[in-house]
Amino acid sequence: MSQAVNTHITRGVDWIEADAPADQWTLAGLERLVEAIDSADRGGAAKIALHAPGLFRLGLEWAVDPDFRAGVGTVVAAIERARAPVIALLAEGARDVGLEIAVACSARLAAEGTTLQSNVLRHGLVPAFGTCGRIRDGWGEGAALLLLSGRPFPAADAQHLALVQACYRPGDDEPNGLSLVQEVSGANAARPALDPEATDAWRRRIGRSGRGRLAHQVLLKLLSEASPVSRKAENAAFIQCLNDPQHRALLHVATAEAKAAQVPGVDPALAEPVHRAAVVGSGTMGGGIAMCFADAGIEVTVLDLDEAALERGRQVIERNYAVAVQRGSLSAQERDARLARIRTTTEYRDLAQADVVVEAVFEDLGLKQAVFARLTDVMRPDALLATNTSGLDIDRIGEVTRAPERVIGMHFFSPANVMTLLEVVRGANTSPAAIATAMGLAKRMEKVGVLAGNCPGFIGNRLLRGYIQQANELVLDGALVAQVDAVLRDFGLPMGPFQMMDLTGLDVGWRARKANGREPAPSERVHDRLCEQERFGQKSGAGFYRYGEDRRVPVPDPSVDALIAEVALEAGRTRRDIPDEEVLERCLFPLINEGARVLEEGMALRASDIDVTYVHGYGFPAHRGGPMYHAEQLGLAHIVARLEELAAEGGAFWAPAPLLQQRAAAEGTFSAD
């Protein structure tokens, strides 16, 4: 396809314009762009403005092609050798390869309302085209994080991080951003170098966020070299990552996220507009959900019948925003705007005009039904009624309302303002419009929405039960608490099951068992004994671990190992040394097996939806692709054979799911789902 690259001079600025969209650039088009830049520079241009919206939107798929990657390299080289400053006009924002081209320019001007995003590390690759050198040589912590985080940054935030010099309003200037082009000056080399402490801080942050990921390790090695980062080394690093299985797993996750937004039989156009929201409950979840609405530009009213609780919740929200400002990820002006969107009340009638309400009270069916009975009396008939339950029956909650078709589950994960997963749960009566509205809200909140069926625990917590059960059984059989957690952390999870249980609180299940008079299973007796000693987890300073001033650091406690051995003896268990491989299999294979059952029952639309749920909601390492993708890499026949061995020793819990057996026998995969 022929690509036009036009040049003209306006008020002393050499303009280079190319209107080809991102998916239609060719090598010939890149060559013409290089010629235009070189020609303008030879002609003595004072400034060169590069207005090529599609160029700055080139995705990572273009970098995978070696010829096109080389062509992009020639464009970057032309920008770098130009004596005149080259100014990128980001009329449609920038992403991936296009963002790296923009970063090579002397300055960047972005149209208001656009975003910048780089998925390079998120897809298991490293930046190329000289970007590693630019990050290393003084781009600043904020700009480096923008280039490496995978998050979309509004142009205004990119300006706050000094990656964008100014924002312009399209149509107010002629041509786009002309007056700003005339004003902007300086080149990348003029930036002050980072001080060593700041450099070390964001390098540590990259290291923490990419534990176990090849691309992060390769990038940190490049940035730590004593000599400047060469293009040859950068390209070799890119190719190394491109050919690694981690890139394929991360690409699977990215593709799965896009698929999860597509619900068969539900047209996104059915989504109803949401201008005002309400949240019932001002605790940790309620406050976090309110922040999600406020962050998305939606006014939200938080209801709690306890004024003191409302005030505590408001203070927590204010502290959360203050931390974001302190870290530099949010401007003070934007913080004030978000806080202004959050109101509080103790009266149900103040929720009457909300387009959507999310109930976030204690996980008790009777309490939630009472809340929904009040809501159905005060809310508009067309309002969406959502519950944040983590596993209760949506239909039972909705049966007390006059409009069960408007009732839906919106299961946020804690902390709601940080976690990226939103399980959208449909009941038997939930309408397509309600589903479309909830899925649309997930996207607006920059969360990954996954549709789940109405079963105990939905997708995520249903799978989690077997994982937790086996962790508890493993320590009774002879494994140590610290050993089990270490094996799962080495696999790539941010924390092991026992540290996670300490984080969520051991007393929740204990109190529920006491309330209903149920006798604990042997694996639950350890929890109960700990709770009887007021060891409730992190919040009490002790649970399976002890915790000092820094509650994030668990300290192994020999007394807990002794308590577990005592409970095992009482239960008649013979303890033995448990190899790490067995720990990993007994924790992960229940996830895979139950995932197959969830898929077979239609509680998840696709196997990849289960992967997305576990990557975004439970910390399953994205570079392993999620539990179902990981199962395919291990081989379904291998997993079935091992489950059958475990079933022969440990009973029906380990019986392979019928769908898993079928796929293994047919040498198939879950990928078609």
Side-chain angles (χ1 to χ4, degrees):
M1 164 176 187
S2 175
Q3 267 177 320
V5 176
N6 303 312
T7 61
H8 58 90
I9 300 175
T10 303
R11 297 190 209 168
V13 177
D14 282 55
W15 288 79
I16 299 175
E17 297 187 333
D19 59 3
D23 61 351
Q24 292 181 19
W25 273 84
T26 63
L27 281 172
L30 295 178
E31 290 168 3
R32 281 191 283 276
L33 186 60
V34 169
E35 291 169 6
I37 295 170
D38 287 343
S39 177
D41 196 48
R42 284 194 303 269
K47 289 182 180 176
I48 302 171
L50 188 52
H51 183 261
L55 178 76
F56 296 122
R57 299 282 303 164
L58 290 175
L60 282 174
E61 64 274 14
W62 295 105
V64 172
D65 181 284
D67 292 333
F68 200 87
R69 187 165 67 247
V72 171
T74 64
V75 172
V76 170
I79 291 168
E80 291 174 331
R81 66 174 169 259
R83 291 162 298 181
V86 179
I87 299 159
L89 288 164
L90 310 180
E92 298 175 4
R95 68 183 178 103
D96 300 340
V97 172
L99 179 57
E100 294 201 56
I101 297 172
V103 164
C105 294
S106 303
R108 286 144 296 282
L109 306 178
E112 292 180 359
T114 58
T115 59
L116 283 69
Q117 182 176 13
S118 174
N119 292 295
V120 178
L121 274 184
R122 187 165 166 261
H123 286 194
L125 302 171
V126 294
F129 314 116
T131 305
C132 290
R134 277 180 270 278
I135 291 172
R136 169 187 158 134
D137 295 337
W139 270 92
E141 179 182 5
L145 291 175
L146 186 156
L147 290 164
L148 302 175
S149 70
R151 285 178 49 207
F153 279 71
D157 289 354
Q159 184 179 359
H160 176 62
L161 298 173
L163 188 60
V164 165
Q165 279 61 50
C167 295
Y168 66 89
R169 187 171 298 166
D172 281 6
D173 218 340
E174 44 89 25
N176 284 323
L178 173 58
S179 61
L180 289 173
V181 170
Q182 291 174 317
E183 292 172 13
V184 75
S185 61
N188 290 335
R191 287 179 172 272
L194 282 174
D195 65 77
E197 282 191 19
T199 303
D200 289 344
W202 65 257
R203 283 179 178 168
R204 284 196 300 272
R205 190 163 174 181
I206 294 169
R208 285 196 302 271
S209 67
R211 189 168 55 86
R213 292 200 189 184
L214 173 68
H216 288 67
Q217 296 163 4
V218 169
L219 175 65
L220 287 173
K221 184 175 185 299
L222 277 176
L223 297 177
S224 301
E225 295 287 350
S227 56
V229 180
S230 71
R231 297 297 169 81
K232 182 177 180 182
E234 200 178 48
N235 191 56
F238 183 91
I239 293 171
Q240 177 189 359
C241 294
L242 180 66
N243 293 329
D244 191 84
Q246 288 193 9
H247 165 61
R248 294 190 288 277
L250 290 162
L251 192 59
H252 162 77
V253 172
T255 304
E257 290 167 7
K259 283 183 181 177
Q262 302 164 13
V263 180
V266 175
D267 186 347
L270 293 172
E272 295 168 349
V274 174
H275 304 293
R276 292 176 297 275
V279 177
V280 179
S282 62
T284 301
M285 285 305 301
I289 294 168
M291 290 179 69
C292 291
F293 282 116
D295 293 351
I298 299 170
E299 293 185 359
V300 57
T301 300
V302 181
L303 178 142
D304 200 304
L305 302 183
D306 185 335
E307 292 240 20
L310 269 180
E311 179 56 29
R312 287 194 300 271
R314 180 82 186 190
Q315 290 174 3
V316 170
I317 290 171
E318 289 175 353
R319 283 200 298 272
N320 287 339
Y321 280 134
V323 169
V325 172
Q326 185 179 6
R327 288 177 176 170
S329 59
L330 188 70
S331 69
Q333 182 180 8
E334 181 58 27
R335 172 202 59 198
D336 294 343
R338 294 181 185 187
L339 282 171
R341 296 184 192 117
I342 302 174
R343 298 180 178 87
T344 57
T345 184
T346 58
E347 300 289 342
Y348 270 90
R349 64 173 177 265
D350 291 335
L351 312 185
Q353 295 308 308
D355 302 302
V356 57
V357 59
V358 180
E359 162 274 308
V361 301
F362 185 70
E363 195 76 350
D364 177 87
L365 179 61
L367 177 59
K368 289 181 184 290
Q369 287 178 324
V371 169
F372 270 75
R374 293 289 303 275
L375 290 174
T376 198
D377 286 338
V378 301
M379 302 295 294
R380 295 197 326 256
D382 60 342
L384 184 67
L385 307 178
T387 172
N388 181 56
T389 178
S390 59
L392 295 176
D393 191 325
I394 303 297
D395 295 325
R396 293 288 307 281
I397 293 171
E399 69 186 10
V400 301
T401 73
R402 288 191 291 272
E405 73 278 1
R406 308 292 299 166
V407 175
I408 197 165
M410 289 180 66
H411 177 208
F412 291 79
F413 284 68
S414 184
N417 55 302
V418 175
M419 297 294 286
T420 52
L421 180 69
L422 179 64
E423 262 187 322
V424 175
V425 188
R426 65 171 155 198
N429 300 299
T430 306
S431 70
I435 294 170
T437 302
M439 294 296 285
L441 276 171
K443 183 176 181 180
R444 190 169 170 184
M445 292 175 175
E446 296 183 359
K447 295 189 181 295
V448 179
V450 175
L451 188 72
N454 183 25
C455 61
F458 313 136
I459 296 174
N461 284 339
R462 176 172 167 179
L463 269 64
L464 188 67
R465 285 198 296 265
Y467 172 80
I468 295 298
Q469 178 184 332
Q470 279 308 300
N472 289 328
E473 293 289 340
L474 278 162
V475 293
L476 289 178
D477 287 343
L480 297 177
V481 165
Q483 175 197 2
V484 173
D485 279 359
V487 169
L488 273 301
R489 283 197 307 272
D490 289 345
F491 179 75
L493 287 157
M495 62 180 69
F498 293 102
Q499 189 182 354
M500 182 185 71
M501 285 186 266
D502 273 358
L503 178 64
T504 56
L506 304 181
D507 56 323
V508 177
W510 174 61
R511 294 184 197 282
R513 284 191 293 277
K514 286 178 67 177
N516 62 28
R518 182 172 69 81
E519 280 295 313
S523 60
E524 295 171 326
R525 288 178 198 159
V526 174
H527 293 240
D528 289 5
R529 298 273 182 93
L530 291 172
C531 289
E532 287 162 6
Q533 299 174 24
E534 297 188 349
R535 297 181 66 128
F536 302 139
Q538 275 193 27
K539 59 188 171 187
S540 65
F544 281 101
Y545 294 95
R546 286 183 288 107
Y547 298 89
E549 198 169 313
D550 187 348
R551 293 288 176 89
R552 295 170 301 179
V553 180
V555 179
D557 190 338
S559 71
V560 173
D561 295 327
L563 172 63
I564 292 169
E566 182 182 319
V567 172
L569 182 63
E570 292 170 0
R573 303 285 277 266
T574 301
R575 305 188 83 215
R576 59 185 172 84
D577 289 338
I578 307 284
D580 289 353
E581 182 181 1
E582 182 180 339
V583 170
L584 194 61
E585 286 183 341
R586 285 177 59 179
C587 285
L588 294 186
F589 284 11
L591 290 178
I592 295 163
N593 204 26
E594 193 64 24
R597 292 192 179 96
V598 165
L599 194 61
E600 187 172 26
E601 293 170 17
M603 295 296 109
L605 293 175
R606 315 167 185 88
S608 60
D609 284 1
I610 299 172
D611 289 334
V612 168
T613 299
Y614 259 76
V615 167
H616 284 277
Y618 297 85
F620 196 96
H623 64 276
R624 297 188 186 274
M628 309 311 280
Y629 179 91
H630 182 62
E632 293 178 351
Q633 310 316 301
L634 293 176
L636 301 189
H638 163 73
I639 292 172
V640 167
R642 184 68 181 116
L643 287 172
E644 288 172 343
E645 291 174 4
L646 289 166
E649 301 167 4
F653 172 85
W654 293 105
L659 180 65
L660 183 58
Q661 291 177 308
Q662 293 164 15
R663 296 294 170 90
E667 297 184 356
T669 68
F670 295 120
S671 300
D673 294 307

